[in-house]
Amino acid sequence: MDPVQLISSDSAIDERSKRLAVLIDADNAQPAVIEGLLEEVARFGEAAVRRIYGDFTSAASASWKKFLNRHSIKPVQQFAYTTGKNATDSTMIIDAMDLLYTRRFDGFCLVTSDSDFTGLAVRLREEGVLVYGFGEQKTPEAFRNACHKFIFTEVLREHAPSPEPAVVSPGNQPAALSEQKVEVQGLELARPPFPEKFLMEALDRSVDDAGWSHLGTFGSYLQKVQPDFDSRMYGFKKLSDLVRGRSDLFEVEEREAPNGNNRVLYVRARKRT
């Protein structure tokens, strides 16, 4: 392996030592996302607690069994005592608060598309712990924005096809990208229009006096402003791939890091002529 490695926002901070509690709402999550989800969680830290909440006596929850055994996820049985009332939510929220007060966790991963967990996410943030949300594209904006980072589970599905990225040159600028849809295991993954205005405004706020921004600084600002921003939604595996692929918008430059052992990536807006 080349000793000179490129550092970007995707790997600038090693968070694998963080202890995380992964709490899954079985009523609002699907087994197909579990393997990809746990791989994603491993990027942020160690899944020290893995629990899933639901009524596993119902036929609808039967598909969870093989995934729970394979990934050592502890099922928390919650009977539906009354029609129309979701006892699962209450149990998961109570468990989250119990775990919070042990002070043993650096963050929580809440796997749900239910807006009822918005208050829980806000409360956890107030206590100074990280909150990672995982849910489908239908997840209400209030819950997505209550998390430090939100990941759409459609991009985590096994064998999910990646939309082809729009790789363009400065002289070949693309027409406006309309919303596209890709079929992913029976569900439609809506590819939203490319957020050019948002990206350029965020870059403008993160550059130095010379107009350049460290990719890690740029990525951090994007996440703070829009927790559900994910380059994979636009066909790019990483932010570094996105800025390289959209050469009509960005210029990139590799520089030697101060320690001389790595190279770092800088980005700036391409000057329009």
Side-chain angles (χ1 to χ4, degrees):
M1 181 180 292
D2 189 343
V4 178
Q5 299 179 349
L6 181 65
I7 298 179
S8 72
S9 65
D10 309 295
S11 59
I13 301 175
D14 185 0
E15 295 185 321
R16 290 179 219 172
S17 60
K18 294 187 181 300
R19 287 177 56 84
L20 304 175
V22 181
L23 309 181
I24 306 169
D25 175 11
D27 297 336
N28 286 283
Q30 296 193 16
V33 308
I34 293 302
E35 292 189 12
L37 186 145
L38 292 176
E39 290 176 2
E40 189 79 5
V41 169
R43 295 177 54 214
F44 308 128
E46 175 197 358
V49 166
R50 304 177 184 186
R51 297 181 186 176
I52 185 168
Y53 302 80
D55 183 0
F56 299 101
T57 63
S58 68
S61 298
S63 58
W64 280 105
K65 184 176 180 180
K66 67 176 182 179
F67 291 93
L68 305 188
N69 291 338
R70 183 186 306 165
H71 300 291
S72 301
I73 301 173
K74 177 182 177 180
V76 179
Q77 171 63 30
Q78 180 59 58
F79 293 100
Y81 297 114
T82 306
T83 303
K85 299 292 184 179
N86 196 339
T88 299
D89 291 6
S90 299
T91 303
M92 183 167 154
I93 291 170
I94 291 170
D95 243 16
M97 297 308 294
D98 286 343
L99 292 170
L100 172 67
Y101 291 132
T102 66
R103 306 298 179 189
R104 295 187 292 112
F105 298 94
D106 301 295
F108 286 75
C109 300
L110 305 179
V111 186
T112 182
S113 301
D114 192 340
S115 63
D116 289 347
F117 291 96
T118 302
L120 174 61
V122 171
R123 183 70 179 88
L124 294 172
R125 287 188 65 150
E126 289 176 349
E127 289 293 323
V129 298
L130 293 167
V131 181
Y132 302 101
F134 295 81
E136 296 177 359
Q137 285 181 283
K138 65 181 182 181
T139 305
E141 186 177 18
F143 177 65
R144 302 201 309 260
N145 289 338
C147 302
H148 288 97
K149 182 174 178 62
F150 185 88
I151 297 96
F152 292 108
T153 53
E154 284 88 349
V155 303
L156 304 178
R157 292 178 182 277
E158 187 178 11
H159 309 308
S162 297
E164 288 297 322
V167 180
V168 296
S169 63
N172 181 28
Q173 299 195 17
L177 294 176
S178 60
E179 182 172 308
Q180 302 175 39
K181 292 185 177 180
V182 179
E183 191 75 11
V184 181
Q185 290 194 347
L187 293 179
E188 285 187 333
L189 168 60
R191 178 178 172 183
F194 189 80
E196 178 179 340
K197 181 179 179 181
F198 166 66
L199 287 170
M200 302 315 292
E201 289 179 351
L203 180 60
D204 184 59
R205 287 170 170 76
S206 59
V207 296
D208 57 22
D209 292 340
W212 289 93
S213 174
H214 185 289
L215 189 65
T217 303
F218 180 37
S220 178
Y221 187 85
L222 288 173
Q223 211 64 69
K224 289 177 181 177
V225 176
Q226 188 173 315
D228 60 1
F229 175 80
D230 192 329
S231 58
R232 290 171 293 188
M233 294 295 291
Y234 309 101
F236 298 94
K237 186 177 180 181
K238 299 179 294 185
L239 181 60
S240 55
D241 296 331
L242 186 152
V243 297
R244 285 192 175 104
R246 291 304 304 262
S247 57
D248 61 315
L249 301 176
F250 305 103
E251 292 182 45
V252 296
E253 181 178 282
E254 293 182 24
R255 303 178 186 176
E256 187 173 303
N259 60 19
N261 296 326
N262 302 293
R263 296 187 68 81
V264 294
L265 192 67
Y266 281 79
V267 58
R268 72 177 178 184
R270 181 172 290 281
K271 296 180 180 179
R272 305 291 180 92
T273 57

